[in-house]
Amino acid sequence: MSEHPIRLGGVHHAAYRCKDARQTVEWYEKVLGMEYVSAFSEDHVPSTGDYDPYMHVFLDAGNGNILAFFELPTQKEMGRDENTPAWVQHLAFKVGSEDELLAAKDHIESLGIDVLGPTHHGIFKSIYFFDPNGHRVELAADIGTDEQYAELKRVAMPMLEEWSRTKKAPRHADWLHEIARREHAAKR
């Protein structure tokens, strides 16, 4: 197999819309400890030339990752894709350990924010909450073993192939959510 002509160096930034740039910056600083690092603002979109005033803010999410938001005051009110469940589209950030995850949950709840979890995903545990724009945010702590990650890589293609044929959940990595299924069954 020949080398691919594109060699990615990581994610430069991921950009989302926000209702209020200042409120969003302050929330991510206070809740997640992100540093506000820069902003761009124009009346015309550089890529299209269209008139559409915006404020584009950038926050450091750690490890060279940048999270950005656009405030678009002349556009229709911000909404979400009503055809996609709220749990699907989310921003997921890594924390260093399960203890850090639990400390983060305590901190976020102390700010009056509802937190769901921790949820056990087999190779990581995570918590979920919403930012002031309605974006779902996840914090995740890896707990998997090298063997588990190797097994997931091994079954990735067979799972994709089966899903493409059947559109039913393949069971190659059923062990991943077994603990979560037991926890949900116990709550019923």
Side-chain angles (χ1 to χ4, degrees):
M1 181 186 235
S2 65
E3 190 171 315
H4 197 283
I6 298 173
R7 295 184 54 88
L8 297 178
V11 174
H12 186 275
H13 68 277
Y16 295 84
R17 187 171 176 192
C18 67
K19 297 174 183 176
D20 181 286
R22 177 182 293 279
Q23 177 192 43
T24 299
V25 165
E26 291 172 353
W27 189 91
Y28 277 88
E29 286 177 326
K30 182 168 103 178
V31 175
L32 295 180
M34 288 186 182
E35 180 184 358
Y36 174 49
V37 293
S38 63
F40 302 160
S41 185
E42 296 285 343
D43 288 327
H44 293 84
V45 180
S47 60
T48 66
D50 293 341
Y51 176 78
D52 196 359
Y54 66 86
M55 179 65 157
H56 192 22
V57 296
F58 297 81
L59 296 133
D60 185 343
N63 232 16
N65 297 287
I66 300 294
L67 176 63
F69 291 93
F70 281 97
E71 183 179 342
L72 305 168
T74 62
Q75 293 291 330
K76 291 180 185 175
E77 185 175 318
M78 188 178 144
R80 59 172 299 279
D81 176 1
E82 294 301 325
N83 294 322
T84 301
W87 60 267
V88 172
Q89 294 174 335
H90 61 279
L91 304 162
F93 300 102
K94 183 185 283 193
V95 296
S97 68
E98 195 172 348
D99 286 342
E100 287 181 36
L101 182 69
L102 296 174
K105 179 179 180 175
D106 289 344
H107 166 71
I108 295 163
E109 287 177 334
S110 78
L111 298 171
I113 299 168
D114 291 331
V115 177
L116 176 66
T119 298
H120 198 295
H121 296 283
I123 58 169
F124 64 94
K125 290 185 179 181
S126 59
I127 59 173
Y128 302 91
F129 47 96
F130 288 89
D131 81 359
N133 305 296
H135 299 301
R136 192 177 201 211
V137 179
E138 175 182 7
L139 296 182
D142 289 333
I143 59 170
T145 66
D146 290 343
E147 293 79 18
Q148 289 172 320
Y149 294 117
E151 176 61 10
L152 287 174
K153 185 173 183 176
R154 186 188 71 75
V155 300
M157 190 52 73
M159 288 179 71
L160 183 59
E161 288 170 356
E162 184 177 331
W163 173 263
S164 295
R165 279 191 328 274
T166 68
K167 300 299 181 198
K168 294 184 176 155
R171 299 296 178 205
H172 298 77
D174 221 22
W175 53 271
L176 272 176
H177 290 108
E178 187 56 40
I179 293 171
R181 281 193 292 274
R182 283 196 306 264
E183 288 173 357
H184 287 295
K187 291 178 186 176
R188 291 183 186 154

